Amino acid sequence: MANLSVKFCGVEFTNPTVLASGVVGVTAASWKSVVQNGAGAPTTKSVRLNEHKGHPNPTIITTEHFLMNAVGLPDAGLSKAKEEIDEYLKDKKAPLIVSIAGGKADDYVAIAEEMAKLPIDILEVNISCPNVENEFGRPFACVASDAKTVIKNVKKVAGDKPVVAKLSPNVTDIKEVANACAEGGADGFCAINTLGPGLAINLETRMPILANKVGGISGPAIKPLAVKLVHDVYKTTGLPIIGTGGVTTGEDALEIMMAGATLVGIGSAVYYRGIDVFRKVANEINEWCDKNSVENLSDIIGTVKM
Amino acid sequence: MQNKTQLPKVVKITKIIDENPVVKTFYFDISIDSRPGQFVMLWLPGVDEKPISIALDDGKQLALTLCSRGKTTRQIAKMKVGDRLGIRGPYGTVFNFQEGEHLALVGGGYGAAPLYFLAHEALKKNCKIEFIEGARSEEHLVYIDRLKELPNTTLHIATDDGSVGFKGYNTELLKKVASENKIDRIMTCGPELMMQKVGEIGDSKNINTQISVERYMKCGFGVCGQCVLDPLGIRSCVSGPVMNSKVLKMLDEFGKYHRDDLGRKQYFLNPQKDACEPGCGNSAQSECG
């Protein structure tokens, strides 16, 4: 039995699997459920300052190789989020990563200020959602100087909470954005958000299937990209990373950890393997470690021989 | 689910039946190999997509019974034979029964539609059926003609205003039926507070009771998290819609509140009616809130 625990930004996790933001994490009951199903921690759906409607359905489509979504970051706003967080903290069984998102740069600061007062563990700053472009113009994570400004301002009010920047794969050079975030004071990264957006067309109606027409691509198809970009960010910043993107099996998790991830985000795999995917992945990691005489999982982080 | 590619299949409406002033049944010449209790996601291209209980899937035809109560269902209600809708699924759990059992099916409003599918399938397994349907008044009853044609089925009708059948709630009829017969299982679909009462009756008589729970949902396959139930955190699209009354007893929110599209709690208002418009109650058709 290998030691699967990892330390990320000073926070202890019993195993590296964390629920990625945007999948099932609407309520405290849901966060608790993924912990019961073996997750090292849940990440909340992105908390917004005020009530925000998402897109109409269809919001998620599924194929053998990828999921594509345009849910549109719906949220009831800060007060409901605090209610759910309180509920989770009542009998906290694992750390809580709170994802925050804003339509404008000031929103992030206002939310972070409130979150800093709560005993949550990590703030994940979602500067990279590709589904809300009308409001965002370009996501902050696509312009290095914008990304730096948001992270710097959040960091000022975040107190002792580690601040993690969620990066977009939809950039020419992710290293540039990651370095800018690091200069802004980021303590770590979550890489990557969904790819795209992409487009899927129904042939009979000649119409896009998603109501928003386009959506972010996730799932097995994007894993090689995630592994590469995690490695880029790891090499250039040396900061800890939540490696996210198409991780479905224990071997996928080990691969992204070798590329440089400390924690492993799991989202779309909930569709492919069920809500207990966290336990399955952790068990598969453990089996591999045992077979390969790895006693401490954290020893494999960033060990890819390039 | 074997095939992980689940995109909507666009099909033509082949028949439409007006069930009552606000409820219609749409037929399609397809089979999706579904079982009673399951639902599909029904796509109106360019507008929205909603979970709808399956009212029949006999290998040749698929039927969906809809109540027009929201923007999307009102638009669908205006559609004609030959118009096209997208269907993906089936999703969710099924009503369970065994060969030769005596079943009591309790439908409220157009919740009777998926129970018609259940009766249709249970009769193939030599079950005996007590079909108990309740509605506000005679004109709100659905499927009565088709139910009367079923063999080995006794139809019991309750209306709030007494315009036909027993004057009062169908749950009163269930009590009577369950004390006069040896019922093996109770299955119900309809307004939540009615189903909660059905669960209490079933539990008090120690009868296996299966309830079709309706919650707002987006994806239908367990990813969006909108239909997660408090406090267990189970997803009603995957662990439901059909759940045992014993499980529902552990779900504090059942009979108290449901969550809207932003995840906010919306409390049920009236006894025997939920927060939706009166007469609705089709499991998984989530346009309330």
Side-chain angles (χ1 to χ4, degrees):
Chain A
M1 182 81 198
N3 171 19
L4 298 192
S5 70
V6 291
K7 207 172 196 177
F8 180 90
C9 294
V11 182
E12 287 276 0
F13 295 77
T14 55
N15 77 68
T17 67
V18 301
L19 172 70
S21 183
V23 173
V24 298
V26 179
T27 64
S30 213
W31 307 335
K32 289 180 193 176
S33 150
V34 298
V35 173
Q36 275 166 13
N37 280 290
T43 309
T44 69
K45 253 184 96 69
S46 292
V47 174
R48 313 210 31 154
L49 187 56
N50 300 310
E51 190 180 307
H52 180 83
K53 286 260 179 199
H55 300 306
N57 250 353
T59 47
I60 311 177
I61 65 168
T62 55
T63 76
E64 197 183 335
H65 308 289
F66 62 87
L67 266 61
M68 194 160 76
N69 88 82
V71 180
L73 294 187
D75 191 53
L78 200 50
S79 58
K80 189 240 163 196
K82 279 159 84 177
E83 220 174 89
E84 298 293 340
I85 291 167
D86 282 348
E87 181 62 37
Y88 178 84
L89 296 173
K90 269 183 203 164
D91 59 341
K92 191 181 174 195
K93 301 273 198 312
L96 182 65
I97 305 170
V98 175
S99 171
I100 67 172
K104 46 189 198 312
D106 292 348
D107 290 1
Y108 288 94
V109 178
I111 307 164
E113 224 166 358
E114 290 302 311
M115 289 301 148
K117 296 174 192 162
L118 303 174
I120 61 149
D121 298 278
I122 289 165
L123 263 184
E124 180 175 292
V125 188
N126 180 4
I127 48 177
S128 49
C129 181
N131 285 329
V132 280
E133 283 176 341
N134 289 341
E135 278 172 58
F136 280 48
R138 290 167 75 190
F140 297 98
C142 293
V143 182
S145 57
D146 290 350
K148 181 180 171 179
T149 307
V150 172
I151 296 301
K152 197 171 148 190
N153 292 340
V154 165
K155 190 68 192 163
K156 272 182 204 158
V157 299
D160 60 350
K161 309 292 180 215
V163 171
V164 167
K166 185 154 186 180
L167 299 176
S168 171
N170 310 311
V171 292
T172 315
D173 183 4
I174 201 167
K175 297 193 284 291
E176 186 197 351
V177 182
N179 281 327
C181 290
E183 282 165 23
D187 299 289
F189 294 97
C190 178
I192 53 178
N193 209 320
T194 54
L195 176 69
L199 173 65
I201 300 166
N202 172 265
L203 302 184
E204 286 78 23
T205 57
R206 303 187 189 196
M207 287 174 74
I209 300 172
L210 291 174
N212 186 53
K213 300 181 177 69
V214 299
I217 304 161
S218 63
I222 74 163
K223 191 195 71 174
L225 181 67
V227 172
K228 160 71 164 59
L229 295 182
V230 161
H231 187 251
D232 284 353
V233 174
Y234 179 74
K235 277 288 168 201
T236 191
T237 68
L239 293 172
I241 301 163
I242 307 172
T244 306
V247 173
T248 309
T249 65
E251 290 189 352
D252 295 341
L254 289 156
E255 187 182 1
I256 208 163
M257 290 182 83
M258 286 183 188
T262 300
L263 290 173
V264 180
I266 291 179
S268 300
V270 169
Y271 171 71
Y272 292 101
R273 300 187 71 191
I275 197 74
D276 57 345
V277 61
F278 306 95
R279 181 167 295 115
K280 290 173 182 163
V281 168
N283 287 342
E284 288 157 5
I285 293 173
N286 185 55
E287 275 170 34
W288 185 91
C289 288
D290 282 353
K291 262 186 213 153
N292 292 276
S293 309
V294 173
E295 283 173 22
N296 291 301
L297 176 63
S298 55
D299 292 345
I300 71 154
I301 296 167
T303 54
V304 59
K305 297 167 188 166
M306 290 289 274
Chain B
M1 212 189 299
Q2 282 293 309
N3 184 1
K4 290 288 179 188
T5 299
Q6 292 259 323
L7 301 174
K9 193 180 160 123
V10 173
V11 288
K12 279 184 183 163
I13 300 166
T14 48
K15 186 169 82 173
I16 301 171
I17 296 178
D18 289 319
E19 305 287 356
N20 76 26
V22 288
V23 175
K24 288 185 179 193
T25 301
F26 295 85
Y27 286 81
F28 308 89
D29 285 347
I30 54 164
S31 171
I32 53 169
D33 203 16
S34 63
R35 288 163 63 201
Q38 293 188 297
F39 66 96
V40 296
M41 298 300 293
L42 184 65
W43 179 40
L44 177 57
V47 180
D48 211 333
E49 187 190 43
K50 297 287 173 190
I52 307 287
S53 289
I54 296 163
L56 188 69
D57 182 359
D58 63 4
K60 292 183 221 96
Q61 283 192 312
L62 178 79
L64 303 173
T65 298
L66 277 72
C67 175
S68 12
R69 56 173 164 154
K71 189 185 78 177
T72 311
T73 44
R74 283 196 190 99
Q75 255 180 273
I76 294 173
K78 288 180 194 152
M79 296 180 88
K80 304 273 183 281
V81 169
D83 289 346
R84 291 181 300 187
L85 286 163
I87 289 169
R88 63 180 169 91
Y91 299 111
T93 54
V94 304
F95 288 112
N96 284 303
F97 57 88
Q98 283 178 358
E99 180 94 29
E101 286 185 326
H102 195 172
L103 311 175
L105 313 188
V106 188
Y110 69 113
L115 296 179
Y116 171 76
F117 182 24
L118 172 60
H120 189 270
E121 295 304 301
L123 288 170
K124 290 182 192 166
K125 298 270 180 197
N126 303 312
C127 289
K128 190 177 171 201
I129 290 164
E130 308 297 324
F131 202 107
I132 306 164
E133 183 171 337
R136 279 188 293 160
S137 66
E138 185 172 12
E139 71 159 2
H140 287 90
L141 290 165
V142 298
Y143 277 75
I144 298 299
D145 294 350
R146 272 155 283 170
L147 288 167
K148 279 181 179 164
E149 285 170 13
L150 294 178
N152 289 321
T153 302
T154 311
L155 181 60
H156 310 261
I157 294 172
T159 51
D160 295 0
D161 66 357
S163 49
V164 63
F166 172 75
K167 184 177 190 301
Y169 293 138
N170 53 4
T171 46
E172 292 304 310
L173 283 182
L174 171 64
K175 279 185 202 162
K176 188 164 170 280
V177 166
S179 52
E180 288 170 358
N181 299 276
K182 201 197 155 298
I183 299 294
D184 295 306
R185 295 173 202 260
I186 299 170
M187 286 97 151
T188 184
C189 184
E192 183 147 322
L193 298 179
M194 178 211 94
M195 294 195 293
Q196 190 180 34
K197 185 76 189 164
V198 169
E200 284 166 15
I201 295 167
D203 292 347
S204 73
K205 295 185 184 291
N206 223 2
I207 302 172
N208 173 297
T209 301
Q210 299 167 36
I211 295 176
S212 179
V213 180
E214 169 178 351
R215 285 294 179 271
Y216 177 85
M217 61 179 71
K218 286 201 173 107
C219 68
F221 44 73
V223 170
C224 73
Q226 296 280 346
C227 70
V228 168
L229 296 157
D230 287 339
L232 299 185
I234 56 177
R235 298 159 294 171
S236 56
C237 65
V238 173
S239 300
V242 181
M243 295 192 205
N244 193 286
S245 57
K246 303 233 161 32
V247 175
L248 287 165
K249 265 190 175 168
M250 293 185 281
L251 295 167
D252 301 345
E253 72 168 74
F254 183 68
K256 287 199 189 74
Y257 62 86
H258 57 102
R259 288 177 187 263
D260 66 13
D261 57 336
L262 300 182
R264 293 171 302 202
K265 293 174 185 171
Q266 302 288 341
Y267 287 83
F268 292 114
L269 302 173
N270 303 311
Q272 297 277 337
K273 289 193 182 107
D274 62 20
C276 311
E277 290 169 33
C280 72
N282 195 0
S283 168
Q285 181 169 325
S286 307
E287 282 212 319
C288 28

